[in-house]
Amino acid sequence: MNPRSCRAVLGLLGLFLAATAGAGAGTVTTVDVETLRHGEEVYGRCIACHAVEANRTGPQHCGLFGRKAGTAPGFDGYSPAMRASGIVWNEETLDRFLEDPL
Protein backbone atom coordinates (compact mmCIF):
# COMPACT_ATOMS: atom_id res chain seq x y z
CA MET A 1 0.00 0.00 0.00
CA ASN A 2 1.47 3.36 -0.91
CA PRO A 3 1.71 6.16 1.67
CA ARG A 4 -1.07 8.22 0.13
CA SER A 5 -3.54 5.33 0.31
CA CYS A 6 -2.41 4.60 3.90
CA ARG A 7 -3.31 8.14 4.93
CA ALA A 8 -6.68 7.80 3.23
CA VAL A 9 -7.41 4.48 4.94
CA LEU A 10 -6.34 5.83 8.34
CA GLY A 11 -8.46 8.94 7.83
CA LEU A 12 -11.52 6.91 6.87
CA LEU A 13 -10.94 4.54 9.78
CA GLY A 14 -10.75 7.48 12.18
CA LEU A 15 -13.98 8.93 10.80
CA PHE A 16 -15.69 5.55 11.01
CA LEU A 17 -14.59 5.01 14.60
CA ALA A 18 -15.66 8.50 15.58
CA ALA A 19 -19.05 8.02 13.94
CA THR A 20 -19.77 4.59 15.43
CA ALA A 21 -18.24 4.78 18.90
CA GLY A 22 -21.06 6.93 20.29
CA ALA A 23 -24.54 5.94 21.40
CA GLY A 24 -25.75 5.59 17.82
CA ALA A 25 -24.12 5.16 14.44
CA GLY A 26 -23.38 8.53 12.91
CA THR A 27 -23.24 10.29 16.27
CA VAL A 28 -19.99 11.98 17.22
CA THR A 29 -19.86 12.93 20.88
CA THR A 30 -17.30 14.79 22.97
CA VAL A 31 -16.22 11.44 24.40
CA ASP A 32 -15.51 10.12 20.91
CA VAL A 33 -13.42 13.16 20.06
CA GLU A 34 -11.55 12.85 23.36
CA THR A 35 -10.87 9.17 22.65
CA LEU A 36 -9.47 10.06 19.24
CA ARG A 37 -7.35 12.83 20.73
CA HIS A 38 -6.04 10.39 23.34
CA GLY A 39 -5.11 7.93 20.59
CA GLU A 40 -3.27 10.68 18.75
CA GLU A 41 -1.48 11.64 21.96
CA VAL A 42 -0.45 8.04 22.64
CA TYR A 43 0.80 7.62 19.06
CA GLY A 44 2.81 10.79 19.58
CA ARG A 45 5.11 8.70 21.75
CA CYS A 46 5.82 6.43 18.78
CA ILE A 47 6.62 9.09 16.18
CA ALA A 48 10.10 9.72 17.50
CA CYS A 49 11.06 6.44 15.85
CA HIS A 50 8.09 5.46 13.63
CA ALA A 51 5.87 7.02 11.00
CA VAL A 52 2.75 5.73 9.30
CA GLU A 53 4.12 6.26 5.83
CA ALA A 54 7.94 6.07 5.99
CA ASN A 55 10.75 4.24 7.72
CA ARG A 56 12.62 6.19 10.38
CA THR A 57 14.76 4.76 13.18
CA GLY A 58 11.97 2.16 13.35
CA PRO A 59 9.90 0.75 10.48
CA GLN A 60 6.83 2.39 9.01
CA HIS A 61 3.47 1.38 10.40
CA CYS A 62 1.56 1.46 7.13
CA GLY A 63 0.68 -2.14 6.28
CA LEU A 64 1.51 -3.38 9.78
CA PHE A 65 -1.47 -5.71 10.30
CA GLY A 66 -0.97 -9.04 8.61
CA ARG A 67 2.78 -8.51 8.29
CA LYS A 68 5.26 -10.77 10.07
CA ALA A 69 7.38 -8.86 12.61
CA GLY A 70 10.81 -8.01 11.30
CA THR A 71 9.81 -7.89 7.64
CA ALA A 72 8.83 -4.28 6.77
CA PRO A 73 9.94 -3.56 3.21
CA GLY A 74 13.04 -1.38 3.02
CA PHE A 75 13.81 -1.56 6.74
CA ASP A 76 16.78 -3.58 7.95
CA GLY A 77 17.33 -2.30 11.50
CA TYR A 78 15.44 -5.06 13.30
CA SER A 79 16.85 -6.73 16.39
CA PRO A 80 17.51 -10.46 16.18
CA ALA A 81 14.75 -10.96 18.80
CA MET A 82 12.18 -9.16 16.62
CA ARG A 83 13.20 -11.10 13.50
CA ALA A 84 12.90 -14.41 15.39
CA SER A 85 9.71 -13.53 17.28
CA GLY A 86 7.28 -15.22 14.92
CA ILE A 87 4.76 -12.44 15.59
CA VAL A 88 2.22 -11.68 12.88
CA TRP A 89 0.77 -8.26 13.61
CA ASN A 90 -2.91 -7.88 14.35
CA GLU A 91 -4.80 -5.96 17.01
CA GLU A 92 -4.23 -8.65 19.65
CA THR A 93 -0.52 -9.17 19.00
CA LEU A 94 0.10 -5.43 18.88
CA ASP A 95 -1.69 -4.86 22.20
CA ARG A 96 0.29 -7.69 23.80
CA PHE A 97 3.58 -6.38 22.38
CA LEU A 98 2.95 -2.83 23.57
CA GLU A 99 2.32 -4.11 27.08
CA ASP A 100 5.71 -5.90 27.16
CA PRO A 101 7.98 -5.18 24.15
CA LEU A 102 10.84 -7.49 23.23
Side-chain angles (χ1 to χ4, degrees):
M1 185 177 284
N2 71 44
R4 187 169 285 171
S5 58
C6 276
R7 277 194 303 270
V9 168
L10 289 171
L12 290 172
L13 179 59
L15 289 173
F16 172 77
L17 291 173
T20 59
T27 303
V28 178
T29 67
T30 304
V31 174
D32 300 324
V33 172
E34 290 304 314
T35 300
L36 291 173
R37 285 186 183 139
H38 177 70
E40 184 178 13
E41 179 184 313
V42 170
Y43 193 72
R45 299 176 202 157
C46 304
I47 61 173
C49 296
H50 297 278
V52 171
E53 56 201 34
N55 293 325
R56 290 186 174 173
T57 303
Q60 69 177 340
H61 285 157
C62 182
L64 178 70
F65 287 173
R67 184 172 73 210
K68 185 177 176 189
T71 64
F75 185 79
D76 62 359
Y78 288 105
S79 69
M82 184 61 77
R83 289 184 192 273
S85 70
I87 295 169
V88 175
W89 296 116
N90 59 43
E91 188 172 339
E92 180 183 328
T93 58
L94 180 60
D95 285 347
R96 197 173 14 199
F97 176 81
L98 292 173
E99 287 177 12
D100 186 23
L102 296 173

